[in-house]
Amino acid sequence: MWQKVLPAYGINIKDCSVQLFGNGLINSTWRVAAGGKVFILQRINHQVFKNPHAIAGNIQLLATYLNKHAPGYIFTTPVKTVNNEELVHDAELGYFRMFPFVAGSHTVDVVNSTAEAYEAAKQFGKFTKLLAGFDCTQLQETLPDFHNLSFRYHQFENALAGTTPELIEQSKESIDFIKANYHLTEIFESIKKSPAFKKRVTHHDTKISNILLDENNNGLCVIDLDTIMPGYFISDVGDMIRTYVSPVSEEEKDFSKIEIREDYFAAIVEGYLGEMQYELSKEEVDHFVYAGKFMIYMQAIRFLADHLMNNIYYGASYPNHNLYRTNNQITLLKKLMEKEVKLQQQVHSFIQKNVEDKSTAA
């Protein structure tokens, strides 16, 4: 592999070291040390990302804008090959791209503190804010319908129609819950039609591992730019709520461990709205907690549809794996709904305090 890929970057394979890097589920990643420099090499999964050139084009458009309007912001762009290209393609091996390694940076895979949740939320909010003046319609959709809840619900209906009576009976309680909460899809449809909800440059994958931190665990920038597309703020905020507020992941089978940590939710509010408060409309702010419901519900739908279709997308490591994942997310959604009023009050209290502080300072 390296004999075909690394020479494209002018790297002599005899004078470098290559190590697997990170725990990414979609793309394969390696750390490459050569000539006193360190790089991150990735193979793009073109079974998932059908058009890798669209990703490269999006990154270049954003880099051009940020270089002009926010030159101090760290935005990692691909290293050019010796032929001045951003991608290396091999018919057998696929698509590769290389990034410079940001010195002094690291990532974490799991949110371990409210401070980390705050830093991540702040960085994702800052990223969208810095690009507020960018015309997001210039971006290509690298994953069409990725966060289209109506599309995901339609996939669920198709899965129901195509599955076996045995799987329907086994999953009846989960199916009934998804159907009973269809109103969450209707709210999404109303958002798409509302002028109060703006499409922005949205990351769409705001797990903690997509933030670079410095030695003091302060946020540096966002990474993993493949899913950056036009989208609604509910995608980024919702994914943070889904993955930060519970002490356990979607893989946990002991549902008694699932809870909504209010202090982690508050950290998301303070980090994200600290950057985005004046970019969001009142209607968007009013849907802050809905963002969490939107993402958790959609993930439950995706897991359930996959279970009904015999695990063709996510796969399964043990019997009923995706049904366990489904019910994990349903449990998380129920617990979020129980605290919805209180959590939304936290959002409005933060907004009001900032407004009052700003008035006092003026």
Side-chain angles (χ1 to χ4, degrees), residues 83 225 262 295 334:
N83 293 326
L225 312 174
E262 294 179 26
M295 279 300 302
K334 288 178 178 178

Side-chain angles (χ1 to χ4, degrees), residues 133-154:
F134 178 84
D135 177 10
C136 69
T137 62
Q138 296 181 54
L139 299 177
Q140 297 185 63
E141 291 199 11
T142 56
L143 288 175
D145 293 313
F146 185 41
H147 285 180
N148 182 342
L149 180 54
S150 303
F151 172 77
R152 297 301 185 185
Y153 196 90
H154 183 61

Side-chain angles (χ1 to χ4, degrees), residues 273-332:
L273 289 182
E275 296 291 336
M276 285 290 292
Q277 173 176 344
Y278 298 104
E279 297 293 333
L280 299 180
S281 67
K282 179 183 180 301
E283 290 83 358
E284 287 173 314
V285 171
D286 289 342
H287 283 73
F288 202 93
V289 177
Y290 169 78
K293 296 195 295 181
F294 160 80
M295 279 300 302
I296 299 166
Y297 180 66
M298 182 161 57
Q299 194 58 57
I301 286 174
R302 295 185 67 188
F303 285 142
L304 182 54
D306 203 35
H307 174 70
L308 295 172
M309 296 305 292
N310 290 310
N311 315 303
I312 59 176
Y313 184 80
Y314 288 109
S317 301
Y318 56 85
N320 302 321
H321 190 168
N322 278 308
L323 185 58
Y324 273 105
R325 287 165 164 161
T326 300
N327 292 327
N328 172 299
Q329 293 296 280
I330 286 175
T331 302
L332 181 61

Side-chain angles (χ1 to χ4, degrees), residues 129-185:
K129 180 182 177 182
L130 288 176
L131 290 161
F134 178 84
D135 177 10
C136 69
T137 62
Q138 296 181 54
L139 299 177
Q140 297 185 63
E141 291 199 11
T142 56
L143 288 175
D145 293 313
F146 185 41
H147 285 180
N148 182 342
L149 180 54
S150 303
F151 172 77
R152 297 301 185 185
Y153 196 90
H154 183 61
Q155 286 184 317
F156 161 66
E157 291 178 318
N158 286 343
L160 276 178
T163 194
T164 64
E166 291 79 11
L167 281 175
I168 289 178
E169 179 60 31
Q170 179 195 45
S171 313
K172 184 178 184 304
E173 188 175 341
S174 305
I175 291 168
D176 289 346
F177 179 87
I178 295 300
K179 288 182 173 180
N181 286 278
Y182 178 71
H183 66 279
L184 296 175
T185 306

Side-chain angles (χ1 to χ4, degrees), residues 277 346-358:
Q277 173 176 344
Q346 282 188 27
V347 175
H348 289 134
S349 295
F350 178 82
I351 293 286
Q352 185 59 37
K353 183 178 184 302
N354 268 13
V355 170
E356 291 173 355
D357 289 347
K358 189 174 183 180

Side-chain angles (χ1 to χ4, degrees), residues 172-223:
K172 184 178 184 304
E173 188 175 341
S174 305
I175 291 168
D176 289 346
F177 179 87
I178 295 300
K179 288 182 173 180
N181 286 278
Y182 178 71
H183 66 279
L184 296 175
T185 306
E186 294 175 322
I187 293 172
F188 174 69
E189 279 299 309
S190 70
I191 284 173
K192 291 197 296 181
K193 297 172 184 175
S194 172
F197 287 81
K198 179 181 176 182
K199 276 200 167 183
R200 301 175 170 85
V201 177
T202 309
H203 191 282
H204 287 98
D205 188 12
T206 53
K207 58 180 178 284
I208 188 71
S209 59
N210 285 334
I211 292 293
L212 287 186
L213 301 166
D214 67 14
E215 298 94 332
N216 298 313
N217 280 336
N218 295 316
L220 291 172
C221 64
V222 304
I223 56 171

